[in-house]
Amino acid sequence: MISPLQVLDLIIILAVLVACAWLLAPYISNVFKRTPSKIDRVFNPIENLIYRVTGVDPNHTMGWKEYFLSALILNIVQMAIAAVILTYQGSLPLNPMHFPGLSWDLTFNTVVSIATNTNLQHYAGEVSLSYLSQMSAIQFLQFTSAATGICCGIAMVRGLVLHSKDLGNFFVDFVRALTRLLIPLCFVAALILVALGVPQTISGYATVKTVEGATQTILVGPVASLVSIMQLGTNGGGYYGANSAYPFQNPSPESDLVEIFMMLLLPTALCFVFGDYIGKKKESLPIIVGAYGLFAIDLAIAFIPNPILVGPGLETRFGGFMSTFWTVVTTAVTTGSVNSSLYGMHPLAILAAFMGMLIQSTPGGKGVGLMYMLMYIIITIFIVGLMSGRTPEYLGIKITGRDVKLVMLAFLIHPLIIIIPTVIAYAANQVAPLGIGSGSIAFTQIFYEYASSAANNGSDFLGTTANTPFFNVSTAIVIFCGRYGPISCLLALAGSMLGRNRATTSPAAIKTASFPFSIVLIASILILVVLTFFPFLAVGPILAYFQGNTNFFGAIAGVL
């Protein structure tokens, strides 16, 4: 188990993070409420110019179908633009390393993955992508995917606001998310990262001689700007194939803490935004307690074994404690970046990572994590209402049969798009050619690949090993369905609540803004997720643990 001092460190880190998120939440609420402020004199002219150029009417409002289709179509167009850049990067400028274009299947996987906030990387960016591709395809999509997630989360919240008649305007929300939130935050974050030693240049790779007389290539580029949106936008991935385990992307323990802070900031802030936006701040209680209660359980699972200070695959600059903490954080907020090799992780740390990806609201990705938590709240209210004989209602809205069908459909999409492709990969004999062996270790890697894809997380064991037509195409399909399937169902739920009668909360109604309900919510989520995925977890990381494996390197080498 971890020491009391390490527990204190975690509490301090998370307490500071939650406090900063709480302070940021009112600003985010005002951005999307379009509350007049002093900064309008700076941003209004920019935004109005964008609206005029693109033909957007900022006063037009949307129902759920128009809102969802606007997001989907815009994202697909962005994928197409990025696909052209990646395919023809060999003939485009800002390619001093003269990298050729990507294959069709890798391009397909990459644009779908990055545009959906997943960032599953079947490529190593430093040896395959030009500066133009890194900046205008990868980084561009990381901004737009993050903005899309935030917008959809806010739209769902609007459906629960008293007297709300629409979900807003996606294009206005999208522009404001970029201009007033993501770009300013990322600009500040990039400056901090540069000060901590992360490179930011487009001067090309440098070739130098070492003290031993050998030749070494220094792989630098526009790293700090990409890392800022990668972590703040819970995108994951990175400039380098080794991700934040690479010294230039994450140079020191200080930069490690900063990047962890960046990952958690916006998902946590949006938990508080919910209560602020609907005018009932206490209703944020079950969301924040539920999210961090589940997060605490994940941490407890991950730290059951004694963390290895320095072991195979663990970055010596950070050690086992911070490597494990990062792994739990990056899967809890669907970021998917890594600061060490997953092969170096204990099976229970991987089990904790699975829990974050399968639940998706601990606190989850920005926007979508909030949507999932609201989904779980409605499911819990319905179950508790059936058990206690109370009328299921939330914020004065009676929960109907259609509401339950929509949330259950959103919930069931996730296990279906994980379990079915995993079985197909084995049935089609696509696992053996990867050379990862068999047994619980190999199964964990394949199951993790599809769980990470469906959760739009993007961390994975396989990396460039999975750069095959089958895995490129199958994971891209899973990623696409995992992103837009649940969002469509939950926006439909929000749309159905517009204009619905709001009853005065009766004494018999379930009090959601309370600690008892928060505990019941946590228990309900655990039961739903564990029962759904337990058989697959049992033959994966749980079996690997009971087989005595301390990490995946030792198991692969046949050393227990």
Side-chain angles (χ1 to χ4, degrees), residues 82-416:
V84 172
I85 295 171
L86 294 175
T87 302
Y88 297 102
Q89 70 173 1
S91 304
L92 295 173
L94 288 176
N95 187 11
M97 294 73 70
H98 305 291
F99 292 137
L102 304 185
S103 64
W104 72 268
D105 54 299
L106 182 56
T107 296
F108 176 59
N109 180 276
T110 301
V111 297
V112 171
S113 177
I114 307 298
T116 56
N117 209 234
T118 307
N119 291 255
L120 184 74
Q121 287 184 292
H122 289 172
Y123 64 90
E126 73 274 24
V127 295
S128 58
L129 296 185
S130 68
Y131 288 155
L132 181 67
S133 293
Q134 291 276 25
M135 292 188 295
S136 63
I138 306 301
Q139 191 172 338
F140 160 68
L141 290 179
Q142 286 183 336
F143 270 100
T144 59
S145 66
T148 299
I150 294 171
C151 293
C152 290
I154 293 295
M156 185 175 181
V157 173
R158 288 193 184 114
L160 299 172
V161 174
L162 183 65
H163 304 309
S164 180
K165 297 180 180 179
D166 57 75
L167 299 187
N169 184 311
F170 170 76
F171 299 111
V172 172
D173 292 340
F174 184 80
V175 169
R176 292 173 74 88
L178 290 171
T179 58
R180 297 178 183 241
L181 186 61
L182 292 175
I183 292 176
L185 283 177
C186 288
F187 180 78
V188 174
L191 292 179
I192 294 172
L193 290 171
V194 169
L196 291 173
V198 179
Q200 180 71 19
T201 179
I202 55 173
S203 61
Y205 294 170
T207 302
V208 298
K209 283 192 174 183
T210 65
V211 292
E212 292 87 0
T215 300
Q216 181 179 351
T217 302
I218 308 298
L219 308 177
V220 294
V223 183
S225 59
L226 191 147
V227 173
S228 64
I229 184 57
M230 153 193 156
Q231 305 291 36
L232 275 169
T234 66
N235 286 284
Y239 189 88
Y240 302 99
N243 222 274
S244 288
Y246 200 88
F248 288 165
Q249 187 167 308
N250 190 10
S252 65
E254 291 77 19
S255 66
D256 198 61
L257 277 175
V258 168
E259 291 186 32
I260 288 173
F261 180 90
M262 289 163 62
M263 284 190 273
L264 286 164
L265 180 61
L266 288 179
T268 304
L270 286 170
C271 295
F272 294 108
V273 167
F274 174 75
D276 187 80
Y277 205 103
I278 66 172
K280 296 181 179 181
K281 293 186 177 181
K282 290 184 178 180
E283 290 297 338
S284 288
L285 179 66
I287 296 175
I288 196 71
V289 171
Y292 275 90
L294 291 164
F295 183 68
I297 293 172
D298 289 348
L299 286 173
I301 294 171
F303 285 118
I304 286 175
N306 291 319
I308 303 169
L309 294 178
V310 178
L314 300 184
E315 177 52 56
T316 56
R317 292 167 297 146
F318 312 127
F321 174 74
M322 289 306 296
S323 295
T324 301
F325 182 44
W326 180 294
T327 299
V328 176
V329 170
T330 196
T331 47
V333 295
T334 73
T335 304
S337 59
V338 295
N339 72 344
S340 60
S341 173
L342 291 178
Y343 284 101
M345 290 290 129
H346 192 281
L348 290 184
I350 297 301
L351 177 61
F354 268 115
M355 293 298 291
M357 294 188 297
L358 300 178
I359 294 173
Q360 296 194 82
S361 54
T362 58
K366 77 270 128 300
V368 178
L370 175 61
M371 296 176 80
Y372 266 89
M373 185 57 80
L374 293 173
M375 174 193 78
Y376 286 126
I377 287 174
I378 291 173
I379 293 174
T380 301
I381 290 172
F382 181 72
I383 294 172
V384 172
L386 288 178
M387 295 175 65
S388 63
R390 298 182 179 183
T391 301
E393 62 179 57
Y394 184 47
L395 304 177
I397 308 171
K398 289 186 178 180
I399 306 301
T400 66
R402 183 176 184 273
D403 298 334
V404 176
K405 290 176 183 177
L406 285 170
V407 295
M408 288 309 302
L409 179 58
F411 175 79
L412 290 173
I413 287 172
H414 194 53
L416 289 176

Side-chain angles (χ1 to χ4, degrees), residues 426-478:
Y426 277 95
N429 194 32
Q430 296 295 322
V431 177
L434 299 180
I436 61 175
S438 59
S440 62
I441 299 298
F443 179 80
T444 299
Q445 295 175 68
I446 299 302
F447 184 43
Y448 196 103
E449 180 83 3
Y450 288 110
S452 179
S453 298
N456 300 132
N457 179 265
S459 66
D460 73 318
F461 283 91
L462 301 178
T464 56
T465 304
N467 183 16
T468 67
F470 176 83
F471 280 98
N472 282 337
V473 173
S474 63
T475 53
I477 293 171
V478 169

